[in-house]
PDB file of all heavy atoms in Angstrom:
ATOM      1  N   ASN O   1       5.455  21.066   5.376  1.00  0.00           N
ATOM      2  CA  ASN O   1       5.730  20.564   6.725  1.00  0.00           C
ATOM      3  C   ASN O   1       4.829  19.383   7.078  1.00  0.00           C
ATOM      4  O   ASN O   1       5.296  18.373   7.633  1.00  0.00           O
ATOM      5  CB  ASN O   1       5.549  21.683   7.752  1.00  0.00           C
ATOM      6  CG  ASN O   1       6.733  22.621   7.830  1.00  0.00           C
ATOM      7  OD1 ASN O   1       7.685  22.380   8.561  1.00  0.00           O
ATOM      8  ND2 ASN O   1       6.690  23.709   7.069  1.00  0.00           N
ATOM      9  N   ASN O   2       3.558  19.497   6.740  1.00  0.00           N
ATOM     10  CA  ASN O   2       2.613  18.422   7.049  1.00  0.00           C
ATOM     11  C   ASN O   2       2.939  17.146   6.280  1.00  0.00           C
ATOM     12  O   ASN O   2       2.813  16.038   6.812  1.00  0.00           O
ATOM     13  CB  ASN O   2       1.182  18.871   6.732  1.00  0.00           C
ATOM     14  CG  ASN O   2       0.689  19.951   7.670  1.00  0.00           C
ATOM     15  OD1 ASN O   2       1.231  20.141   8.763  1.00  0.00           O
ATOM     16  ND2 ASN O   2      -0.345  20.672   7.270  1.00  0.00           N
ATOM     17  N   TYR O   3       3.373  17.304   5.030  1.00  0.00           N
ATOM     18  CA  TYR O   3       3.686  16.123   4.228  1.00  0.00           C
ATOM     19  C   TYR O   3       4.913  15.394   4.773  1.00  0.00           C
ATOM     20  O   TYR O   3       4.907  14.169   4.921  1.00  0.00           O
ATOM     21  CB  TYR O   3       3.929  16.526   2.776  1.00  0.00           C
ATOM     22  CG  TYR O   3       4.102  15.337   1.849  1.00  0.00           C
ATOM     23  CD1 TYR O   3       3.056  14.445   1.637  1.00  0.00           C
ATOM     24  CD2 TYR O   3       5.301  15.119   1.177  1.00  0.00           C
ATOM     25  CE1 TYR O   3       3.191  13.362   0.783  1.00  0.00           C
ATOM     26  CE2 TYR O   3       5.457  14.039   0.316  1.00  0.00           C
ATOM     27  CZ  TYR O   3       4.391  13.169   0.117  1.00  0.00           C
ATOM     28  OH  TYR O   3       4.542  12.089  -0.729  1.00  0.00           O
ATOM     29  N   PHE O   4       5.952  16.154   5.084  1.00  0.00           N
ATOM     30  CA  PHE O   4       7.161  15.509   5.610  1.00  0.00           C
ATOM     31  C   PHE O   4       6.868  14.804   6.931  1.00  0.00           C
ATOM     32  O   PHE O   4       7.299  13.665   7.143  1.00  0.00           O
ATOM     33  CB  PHE O   4       8.273  16.537   5.793  1.00  0.00           C
ATOM     34  CG  PHE O   4       9.584  15.924   6.202  1.00  0.00           C
ATOM     35  CD1 PHE O   4      10.404  15.325   5.266  1.00  0.00           C
ATOM     36  CD2 PHE O   4       9.992  15.944   7.534  1.00  0.00           C
ATOM     37  CE1 PHE O   4      11.609  14.742   5.638  1.00  0.00           C
ATOM     38  CE2 PHE O   4      11.187  15.367   7.916  1.00  0.00           C
ATOM     39  CZ  PHE O   4      12.000  14.761   6.971  1.00  0.00           C
ATOM     40  N   ASN O   5       6.139  15.459   7.819  1.00  0.00           N
ATOM     41  CA  ASN O   5       5.787  14.836   9.099  1.00  0.00           C
ATOM     42  C   ASN O   5       4.935  13.586   8.892  1.00  0.00           C
ATOM     43  O   ASN O   5       5.075  12.599   9.626  1.00  0.00           O
ATOM     44  CB  ASN O   5       5.048  15.838   9.989  1.00  0.00           C
ATOM     45  CG  ASN O   5       5.948  16.956  10.475  1.00  0.00           C
ATOM     46  OD1 ASN O   5       7.164  16.787  10.578  1.00  0.00           O
ATOM     47  ND2 ASN O   5       5.373  18.109  10.766  1.00  0.00           N
ATOM     48  N   HIS O   6       4.074  13.627   7.889  1.00  0.00           N
ATOM     49  CA  HIS O   6       3.251  12.473   7.550  1.00  0.00           C
ATOM     50  C   HIS O   6       4.129  11.288   7.132  1.00  0.00           C
ATOM     51  O   HIS O   6       3.917  10.147   7.577  1.00  0.00           O
ATOM     52  CB  HIS O   6       2.289  12.848   6.421  1.00  0.00           C
ATOM     53  CG  HIS O   6       1.641  11.699   5.736  1.00  0.00           C
ATOM     54  ND1 HIS O   6       0.621  10.957   6.300  1.00  0.00           N
ATOM     55  CD2 HIS O   6       1.871  11.146   4.502  1.00  0.00           C
ATOM     56  CE1 HIS O   6       0.244  10.010   5.458  1.00  0.00           C
ATOM     57  NE2 HIS O   6       0.983  10.107   4.370  1.00  0.00           N
ATOM     58  N   LEU O   7       5.126  11.554   6.290  1.00  0.00           N
ATOM     59  CA  LEU O   7       6.019  10.484   5.839  1.00  0.00           C
ATOM     60  C   LEU O   7       6.839   9.918   6.997  1.00  0.00           C
ATOM     61  O   LEU O   7       7.089   8.706   7.064  1.00  0.00           O
ATOM     62  CB  LEU O   7       6.943  10.997   4.739  1.00  0.00           C
ATOM     63  CG  LEU O   7       6.286  11.443   3.430  1.00  0.00           C
ATOM     64  CD1 LEU O   7       7.344  11.820   2.409  1.00  0.00           C
ATOM     65  CD2 LEU O   7       5.365  10.366   2.877  1.00  0.00           C
ATOM     66  N   VAL O   8       7.252  10.787   7.899  1.00  0.00           N
ATOM     67  CA  VAL O   8       7.986  10.319   9.086  1.00  0.00           C
ATOM     68  C   VAL O   8       7.128   9.358   9.895  1.00  0.00           C
ATOM     69  O   VAL O   8       7.587   8.287  10.317  1.00  0.00           O
ATOM     70  CB  VAL O   8       8.424  11.514   9.959  1.00  0.00           C
ATOM     71  CG1 VAL O   8       8.973  11.027  11.297  1.00  0.00           C
ATOM     72  CG2 VAL O   8       9.478  12.345   9.244  1.00  0.00           C
ATOM     73  N   LEU O   9       5.878   9.714  10.111  1.00  0.00           N
ATOM     74  CA  LEU O   9       4.968   8.868  10.886  1.00  0.00           C
ATOM     75  C   LEU O   9       4.728   7.528  10.201  1.00  0.00           C
ATOM     76  O   LEU O   9       4.702   6.477  10.864  1.00  0.00           O
ATOM     77  CB  LEU O   9       3.639   9.593  11.107  1.00  0.00           C
ATOM     78  CG  LEU O   9       3.670  10.796  12.049  1.00  0.00           C
ATOM     79  CD1 LEU O   9       2.305  11.479  12.067  1.00  0.00           C
ATOM     80  CD2 LEU O   9       4.074  10.369  13.454  1.00  0.00           C
ATOM     81  N   ILE O  10       4.566   7.541   8.889  1.00  0.00           N
ATOM     82  CA  ILE O  10       4.362   6.295   8.148  1.00  0.00           C
ATOM     83  C   ILE O  10       5.584   5.392   8.264  1.00  0.00           C
ATOM     84  O   ILE O  10       5.479   4.175   8.496  1.00  0.00           O
ATOM     85  CB  ILE O  10       4.069   6.578   6.663  1.00  0.00           C
ATOM     86  CG1 ILE O  10       2.726   7.295   6.511  1.00  0.00           C
ATOM     87  CG2 ILE O  10       4.077   5.289   5.842  1.00  0.00           C
ATOM     88  CD1 ILE O  10       1.530   6.463   6.893  1.00  0.00           C
ATOM     89  N   SER O  11       6.759   5.975   8.109  1.00  0.00           N
ATOM     90  CA  SER O  11       7.985   5.181   8.187  1.00  0.00           C
ATOM     91  C   SER O  11       8.182   4.588   9.580  1.00  0.00           C
ATOM     92  O   SER O  11       8.634   3.446   9.721  1.00  0.00           O
ATOM     93  CB  SER O  11       9.199   6.032   7.792  1.00  0.00           C
ATOM     94  OG  SER O  11       9.417   7.074   8.725  1.00  0.00           O
ATOM     95  N   GLU O  12       7.846   5.351  10.612  1.00  0.00           N
ATOM     96  CA  GLU O  12       7.983   4.860  11.982  1.00  0.00           C
ATOM     97  C   GLU O  12       6.952   3.770  12.280  1.00  0.00           C
ATOM     98  O   GLU O  12       7.265   2.747  12.905  1.00  0.00           O
ATOM     99  CB  GLU O  12       7.832   6.008  12.973  1.00  0.00           C
ATOM    100  CG  GLU O  12       8.996   6.994  12.931  1.00  0.00           C
ATOM    101  CD  GLU O  12       8.790   8.159  13.876  1.00  0.00           C
ATOM    102  OE1 GLU O  12       7.636   8.342  14.356  1.00  0.00           O
ATOM    103  OE2 GLU O  12       9.755   8.908  14.120  1.00  0.00           O
ATOM    104  N   LYS O  13       5.737   3.965  11.809  1.00  0.00           N
ATOM    105  CA  LYS O  13       4.664   3.006  12.070  1.00  0.00           C
ATOM    106  C   LYS O  13       4.972   1.647  11.465  1.00  0.00           C
ATOM    107  O   LYS O  13       4.743   0.602  12.100  1.00  0.00           O
ATOM    108  CB  LYS O  13       3.346   3.537  11.515  1.00  0.00           C
ATOM    109  CG  LYS O  13       2.165   2.593  11.724  1.00  0.00           C
ATOM    110  CD  LYS O  13       0.878   3.198  11.193  1.00  0.00           C
ATOM    111  CE  LYS O  13      -0.297   2.241  11.395  1.00  0.00           C
ATOM    112  NZ  LYS O  13      -1.574   2.838  10.895  1.00  0.00           N
ATOM    113  N   PHE O  14       5.498   1.644  10.251  1.00  0.00           N
ATOM    114  CA  PHE O  14       5.745   0.384   9.551  1.00  0.00           C
ATOM    115  C   PHE O  14       7.232  -0.004   9.560  1.00  0.00           C
ATOM    116  O   PHE O  14       7.627  -0.936   8.861  1.00  0.00           O
ATOM    117  CB  PHE O  14       5.233   0.483   8.121  1.00  0.00           C
ATOM    118  CG  PHE O  14       3.734   0.629   8.037  1.00  0.00           C
ATOM    119  CD1 PHE O  14       3.158   1.873   7.822  1.00  0.00           C
ATOM    120  CD2 PHE O  14       2.902  -0.464   8.208  1.00  0.00           C
ATOM    121  CE1 PHE O  14       1.776   2.029   7.762  1.00  0.00           C
ATOM    122  CE2 PHE O  14       1.523  -0.328   8.148  1.00  0.00           C
ATOM    123  CZ  PHE O  14       0.952   0.913   7.927  1.00  0.00           C
ATOM    124  N   GLU O  15       8.027   0.732  10.348  1.00  0.00           N
ATOM    125  CA  GLU O  15       9.450   0.437  10.527  1.00  0.00           C
ATOM    126  C   GLU O  15      10.181   0.359   9.180  1.00  0.00           C
ATOM    127  O   GLU O  15      10.904  -0.599   8.886  1.00  0.00           O
ATOM    128  CB  GLU O  15       9.635  -0.860  11.323  1.00  0.00           C
ATOM    129  CG  GLU O  15       9.038  -0.783  12.721  1.00  0.00           C
ATOM    130  CD  GLU O  15       9.248  -2.060  13.519  1.00  0.00           C
ATOM    131  OE1 GLU O  15       9.552  -3.105  12.903  1.00  0.00           O
ATOM    132  OE2 GLU O  15       9.115  -2.013  14.746  1.00  0.00           O
ATOM    133  N   ILE O  16       9.963   1.397   8.371  1.00  0.00           N
ATOM    134  CA  ILE O  16      10.599   1.479   7.058  1.00  0.00           C
ATOM    135  C   ILE O  16      11.760   2.469   7.132  1.00  0.00           C
ATOM    136  O   ILE O  16      11.591   3.575   7.649  1.00  0.00           O
ATOM    137  CB  ILE O  16       9.587   1.966   6.000  1.00  0.00           C
ATOM    138  CG1 ILE O  16       8.423   0.975   5.880  1.00  0.00           C
ATOM    139  CG2 ILE O  16      10.271   2.140   4.641  1.00  0.00           C
ATOM    140  CD1 ILE O  16       7.298   1.466   4.999  1.00  0.00           C
ATOM    141  N   PRO O  17      12.944   2.096   6.648  1.00  0.00           N
ATOM    142  CA  PRO O  17      14.066   3.041   6.646  1.00  0.00           C
ATOM    143  C   PRO O  17      13.684   4.320   5.901  1.00  0.00           C
ATOM    144  O   PRO O  17      13.149   4.268   4.790  1.00  0.00           O
ATOM    145  CB  PRO O  17      15.164   2.272   5.898  1.00  0.00           C
ATOM    146  CG  PRO O  17      14.824   0.832   6.105  1.00  0.00           C
ATOM    147  CD  PRO O  17      13.320   0.771   6.104  1.00  0.00           C
ATOM    148  N   PHE O  18      13.948   5.457   6.521  1.00  0.00           N
ATOM    149  CA  PHE O  18      13.520   6.742   5.968  1.00  0.00           C
ATOM    150  C   PHE O  18      14.744   7.583   5.667  1.00  0.00           C
ATOM    151  O   PHE O  18      15.503   7.945   6.565  1.00  0.00           O
ATOM    152  CB  PHE O  18      12.606   7.444   6.972  1.00  0.00           C
ATOM    153  CG  PHE O  18      11.963   8.698   6.445  1.00  0.00           C
ATOM    154  CD1 PHE O  18      11.123   8.656   5.345  1.00  0.00           C
ATOM    155  CD2 PHE O  18      12.191   9.924   7.067  1.00  0.00           C
ATOM    156  CE1 PHE O  18      10.513   9.813   4.869  1.00  0.00           C
ATOM    157  CE2 PHE O  18      11.582  11.078   6.599  1.00  0.00           C
ATOM    158  CZ  PHE O  18      10.743  11.025   5.497  1.00  0.00           C
ATOM    159  N   ARG O  19      14.945   7.942   4.381  1.00  0.00           N
ATOM    160  CA  ARG O  19      16.144   8.663   3.961  1.00  0.00           C
ATOM    161  C   ARG O  19      15.850  10.102   3.528  1.00  0.00           C
ATOM    162  O   ARG O  19      16.748  10.805   3.085  1.00  0.00           O
ATOM    163  CB  ARG O  19      16.828   7.916   2.816  1.00  0.00           C
ATOM    164  CG  ARG O  19      17.284   6.507   3.160  1.00  0.00           C
ATOM    165  CD  ARG O  19      17.978   5.875   1.980  1.00  0.00           C
ATOM    166  NE  ARG O  19      19.240   6.549   1.677  1.00  0.00           N
ATOM    167  CZ  ARG O  19      19.881   6.419   0.514  1.00  0.00           C
ATOM    168  NH1 ARG O  19      19.337   5.706  -0.468  1.00  0.00           N
ATOM    169  NH2 ARG O  19      21.026   7.050   0.304  1.00  0.00           N
ATOM    170  N   TRP O  20      14.610  10.515   3.642  1.00  0.00           N
ATOM    171  CA  TRP O  20      14.270  11.877   3.236  1.00  0.00           C
ATOM    172  C   TRP O  20      14.837  12.908   4.219  1.00  0.00           C
ATOM    173  O   TRP O  20      14.988  12.622   5.406  1.00  0.00           O
ATOM    174  CB  TRP O  20      12.758  12.047   3.171  1.00  0.00           C
ATOM    175  CG  TRP O  20      12.079  11.356   2.025  1.00  0.00           C
ATOM    176  CD1 TRP O  20      12.237  10.058   1.639  1.00  0.00           C
ATOM    177  CD2 TRP O  20      11.127  11.926   1.130  1.00  0.00           C
ATOM    178  NE1 TRP O  20      11.439   9.772   0.566  1.00  0.00           N
ATOM    179  CE2 TRP O  20      10.738  10.903   0.233  1.00  0.00           C
ATOM    180  CE3 TRP O  20      10.548  13.183   1.015  1.00  0.00           C
ATOM    181  CZ2 TRP O  20       9.805  11.118  -0.780  1.00  0.00           C
ATOM    182  CZ3 TRP O  20       9.614  13.402   0.006  1.00  0.00           C
ATOM    183  CH2 TRP O  20       9.265  12.371  -0.883  1.00  0.00           C
ATOM    184  N   LYS O  21      15.114  14.092   3.700  1.00  0.00           N
ATOM    185  CA  LYS O  21      15.530  15.218   4.521  1.00  0.00           C
ATOM    186  C   LYS O  21      14.640  16.416   4.198  1.00  0.00           C
ATOM    187  O   LYS O  21      14.037  16.487   3.125  1.00  0.00           O
ATOM    188  CB  LYS O  21      16.997  15.569   4.262  1.00  0.00           C
ATOM    189  CG  LYS O  21      17.975  14.467   4.669  1.00  0.00           C
ATOM    190  CD  LYS O  21      19.411  14.886   4.398  1.00  0.00           C
ATOM    191  CE  LYS O  21      20.387  13.795   4.807  1.00  0.00           C
ATOM    192  NZ  LYS O  21      21.803  14.183   4.546  1.00  0.00           N
ATOM    193  N   PHE O  22      14.574  17.339   5.141  1.00  0.00           N
ATOM    194  CA  PHE O  22      13.688  18.491   4.979  1.00  0.00           C
ATOM    195  C   PHE O  22      14.402  19.750   5.448  1.00  0.00           C
ATOM    196  O   PHE O  22      14.958  19.785   6.545  1.00  0.00           O
ATOM    197  CB  PHE O  22      12.412  18.281   5.796  1.00  0.00           C
ATOM    198  CG  PHE O  22      11.432  19.412   5.707  1.00  0.00           C
ATOM    199  CD1 PHE O  22      10.561  19.516   4.627  1.00  0.00           C
ATOM    200  CD2 PHE O  22      11.361  20.379   6.702  1.00  0.00           C
ATOM    201  CE1 PHE O  22       9.648  20.560   4.545  1.00  0.00           C
ATOM    202  CE2 PHE O  22      10.448  21.422   6.633  1.00  0.00           C
ATOM    203  CZ  PHE O  22       9.591  21.511   5.546  1.00  0.00           C
ATOM    204  N   TYR O  23      14.391  20.781   4.595  1.00  0.00           N
ATOM    205  CA  TYR O  23      15.031  22.048   4.947  1.00  0.00           C
ATOM    206  C   TYR O  23      14.121  23.221   4.577  1.00  0.00           C
ATOM    207  O   TYR O  23      13.482  23.208   3.516  1.00  0.00           O
ATOM    208  CB  TYR O  23      16.359  22.227   4.207  1.00  0.00           C
ATOM    209  CG  TYR O  23      17.397  21.177   4.524  1.00  0.00           C
ATOM    210  CD1 TYR O  23      17.706  20.187   3.608  1.00  0.00           C
ATOM    211  CD2 TYR O  23      18.079  21.191   5.743  1.00  0.00           C
ATOM    212  CE1 TYR O  23      18.663  19.220   3.888  1.00  0.00           C
ATOM    213  CE2 TYR O  23      19.035  20.235   6.033  1.00  0.00           C
ATOM    214  CZ  TYR O  23      19.329  19.246   5.098  1.00  0.00           C
ATOM    215  OH  TYR O  23      20.260  18.292   5.378  1.00  0.00           O
ATOM    216  N   VAL O  24      14.099  24.199   5.448  1.00  0.00           N
ATOM    217  CA  VAL O  24      13.439  25.469   5.162  1.00  0.00           C
ATOM    218  C   VAL O  24      14.512  26.438   4.668  1.00  0.00           C
ATOM    219  O   VAL O  24      15.535  26.634   5.328  1.00  0.00           O
ATOM    220  CB  VAL O  24      12.747  26.042   6.415  1.00  0.00           C
ATOM    221  CG1 VAL O  24      12.181  27.430   6.117  1.00  0.00           C
ATOM    222  CG2 VAL O  24      11.642  25.106   6.891  1.00  0.00           C
ATOM    223  N   VAL O  25      14.285  27.020   3.491  1.00  0.00           N
ATOM    224  CA  VAL O  25      15.243  27.977   2.924  1.00  0.00           C
ATOM    225  C   VAL O  25      14.826  29.372   3.373  1.00  0.00           C
ATOM    226  O   VAL O  25      13.780  29.885   2.973  1.00  0.00           O
ATOM    227  CB  VAL O  25      15.278  27.880   1.388  1.00  0.00           C
ATOM    228  CG1 VAL O  25      16.328  28.840   0.823  1.00  0.00           C
ATOM    229  CG2 VAL O  25      15.580  26.444   0.949  1.00  0.00           C
ATOM    230  N   GLU O  26      15.629  29.974   4.215  1.00  0.00           N
ATOM    231  CA  GLU O  26      15.272  31.242   4.848  1.00  0.00           C
ATOM    232  C   GLU O  26      15.189  32.397   3.850  1.00  0.00           C
ATOM    233  O   GLU O  26      15.951  32.477   2.888  1.00  0.00           O
ATOM    234  CB  GLU O  26      16.287  31.583   5.942  1.00  0.00           C
ATOM    235  CG  GLU O  26      16.315  30.580   7.101  1.00  0.00           C
ATOM    236  CD  GLU O  26      17.303  30.972   8.175  1.00  0.00           C
ATOM    237  OE1 GLU O  26      18.053  31.955   7.972  1.00  0.00           O
ATOM    238  OE2 GLU O  26      17.328  30.303   9.224  1.00  0.00           O
ATOM    239  N   ASN O  27      14.230  33.281   4.121  1.00  0.00           N
ATOM    240  CA  ASN O  27      14.059  34.525   3.360  1.00  0.00           C
ATOM    241  C   ASN O  27      13.809  34.300   1.867  1.00  0.00           C
ATOM    242  O   ASN O  27      14.161  35.151   1.033  1.00  0.00           O
ATOM    243  CB  ASN O  27      15.273  35.441   3.549  1.00  0.00           C
ATOM    244  CG  ASN O  27      15.472  35.864   4.987  1.00  0.00           C
ATOM    245  OD1 ASN O  27      14.511  36.233   5.667  1.00  0.00           O
ATOM    246  ND2 ASN O  27      16.704  35.780   5.466  1.00  0.00           N
ATOM    247  N   VAL O  28      13.223  33.164   1.530  1.00  0.00           N
ATOM    248  CA  VAL O  28      12.922  32.858   0.128  1.00  0.00           C
ATOM    249  C   VAL O  28      11.449  32.492   0.016  1.00  0.00           C
ATOM    250  O   VAL O  28      10.912  31.779   0.868  1.00  0.00           O
ATOM    251  CB  VAL O  28      13.795  31.694  -0.394  1.00  0.00           C
ATOM    252  CG1 VAL O  28      13.377  31.321  -1.814  1.00  0.00           C
ATOM    253  CG2 VAL O  28      15.266  32.078  -0.358  1.00  0.00           C
ATOM    254  N   GLY O  29      10.814  33.007  -1.025  1.00  0.00           N
ATOM    255  CA  GLY O  29       9.418  32.676  -1.275  1.00  0.00           C
ATOM    256  C   GLY O  29       9.301  31.640  -2.374  1.00  0.00           C
ATOM    257  O   GLY O  29      10.090  30.693  -2.432  1.00  0.00           O
ATOM    258  N   HIS O  30       8.334  31.834  -3.272  1.00  0.00           N
ATOM    259  CA  HIS O  30       8.124  30.895  -4.372  1.00  0.00           C
ATOM    260  C   HIS O  30       9.014  31.303  -5.542  1.00  0.00           C
ATOM    261  O   HIS O  30       8.546  31.756  -6.583  1.00  0.00           O
ATOM    262  CB  HIS O  30       6.649  30.878  -4.770  1.00  0.00           C
ATOM    263  CG  HIS O  30       6.252  29.656  -5.524  1.00  0.00           C
ATOM    264  ND1 HIS O  30       6.221  28.396  -4.966  1.00  0.00           N
ATOM    265  CD2 HIS O  30       5.854  29.486  -6.819  1.00  0.00           C
ATOM    266  CE1 HIS O  30       5.826  27.522  -5.863  1.00  0.00           C
ATOM    267  NE2 HIS O  30       5.615  28.162  -6.995  1.00  0.00           N
ATOM    268  N   GLU O  31      10.325  31.136  -5.352  1.00  0.00           N
ATOM    269  CA  GLU O  31      11.319  31.649  -6.293  1.00  0.00           C
ATOM    270  C   GLU O  31      12.258  30.527  -6.729  1.00  0.00           C
ATOM    271  O   GLU O  31      13.148  30.113  -5.994  1.00  0.00           O
ATOM    272  CB  GLU O  31      12.123  32.768  -5.637  1.00  0.00           C
ATOM    273  CG  GLU O  31      11.267  33.911  -5.096  1.00  0.00           C
ATOM    274  CD  GLU O  31      12.047  34.814  -4.168  1.00  0.00           C
ATOM    275  OE1 GLU O  31      12.709  35.746  -4.668  1.00  0.00           O
ATOM    276  OE2 GLU O  31      12.000  34.597  -2.948  1.00  0.00           O
ATOM    277  N   ASN O  32      12.062  30.066  -7.946  1.00  0.00           N
ATOM    278  CA  ASN O  32      12.852  28.935  -8.431  1.00  0.00           C
ATOM    279  C   ASN O  32      14.338  29.255  -8.517  1.00  0.00           C
ATOM    280  O   ASN O  32      15.176  28.399  -8.227  1.00  0.00           O
ATOM    281  CB  ASN O  32      12.340  28.485  -9.807  1.00  0.00           C
ATOM    282  CG  ASN O  32      13.119  27.293 -10.331  1.00  0.00           C
ATOM    283  OD1 ASN O  32      13.338  26.321  -9.636  1.00  0.00           O
ATOM    284  ND2 ASN O  32      13.554  27.384 -11.582  1.00  0.00           N
ATOM    285  N   LYS O  33      14.706  30.479  -8.910  1.00  0.00           N
ATOM    286  CA  LYS O  33      16.112  30.823  -9.057  1.00  0.00           C
ATOM    287  C   LYS O  33      16.868  30.630  -7.750  1.00  0.00           C
ATOM    288  O   LYS O  33      17.964  30.051  -7.724  1.00  0.00           O
ATOM    289  CB  LYS O  33      16.251  32.268  -9.548  1.00  0.00           C
ATOM    290  CG  LYS O  33      17.687  32.679  -9.824  1.00  0.00           C
ATOM    291  CD  LYS O  33      17.767  34.082 -10.407  1.00  0.00           C
ATOM    292  CE  LYS O  33      19.212  34.478 -10.706  1.00  0.00           C
ATOM    293  NZ  LYS O  33      19.295  35.838 -11.302  1.00  0.00           N
ATOM    294  N   LYS O  34      16.282  31.079  -6.657  1.00  0.00           N
ATOM    295  CA  LYS O  34      16.942  30.954  -5.358  1.00  0.00           C
ATOM    296  C   LYS O  34      16.871  29.513  -4.840  1.00  0.00           C
ATOM    297  O   LYS O  34      17.819  29.008  -4.239  1.00  0.00           O
ATOM    298  CB  LYS O  34      16.321  31.919  -4.358  1.00  0.00           C
ATOM    299  CG  LYS O  34      16.553  33.389  -4.704  1.00  0.00           C
ATOM    300  CD  LYS O  34      15.908  34.321  -3.691  1.00  0.00           C
ATOM    301  CE  LYS O  34      16.169  35.776  -4.048  1.00  0.00           C
ATOM    302  NZ  LYS O  34      15.537  36.713  -3.078  1.00  0.00           N
ATOM    303  N   MET O  35      15.746  28.860  -5.065  1.00  0.00           N
ATOM    304  CA  MET O  35      15.608  27.473  -4.593  1.00  0.00           C
ATOM    305  C   MET O  35      16.523  26.538  -5.365  1.00  0.00           C
ATOM    306  O   MET O  35      17.098  25.598  -4.807  1.00  0.00           O
ATOM    307  CB  MET O  35      14.154  27.023  -4.737  1.00  0.00           C
ATOM    308  CG  MET O  35      13.157  27.826  -3.917  1.00  0.00           C
ATOM    309  SD  MET O  35      13.440  27.772  -2.126  1.00  0.00           S
ATOM    310  CE  MET O  35      12.913  26.104  -1.760  1.00  0.00           C
ATOM    311  N   SER O  36      16.684  26.794  -6.659  1.00  0.00           N
ATOM    312  CA  SER O  36      17.535  25.919  -7.464  1.00  0.00           C
ATOM    313  C   SER O  36      19.002  26.034  -7.061  1.00  0.00           C
ATOM    314  O   SER O  36      19.760  25.073  -7.176  1.00  0.00           O
ATOM    315  CB  SER O  36      17.370  26.229  -8.951  1.00  0.00           C
ATOM    316  OG  SER O  36      17.744  27.559  -9.254  1.00  0.00           O
TER     317      SER O  36
END
């Protein structure tokens, strides 16, 4: 969360087009099978 918010702030500060997206995958931990 902190990294994505950091990138948003950088893009806004320097007026750079920002194409990143961020999603929280519910009820999933550090599990590659579900994340993949």
Side-chain angles (χ1 to χ4, degrees):
N1 280 273
N2 291 341
Y3 187 64
F4 186 80
N5 291 334
H6 165 75
L7 296 184
V8 170
L9 290 175
I10 294 293
S11 66
E12 291 177 346
K13 179 178 180 179
F14 294 100
E15 299 181 343
I16 298 172
F18 187 61
R19 299 182 67 197
W20 288 49
K21 295 181 180 180
F22 180 82
Y23 298 106
V24 175
V25 183
E26 297 181 354
N27 298 315
V28 175
H30 200 67
E31 304 166 86
N32 181 48
K33 184 176 181 179
K34 294 179 179 179
M35 298 299 287
S36 61

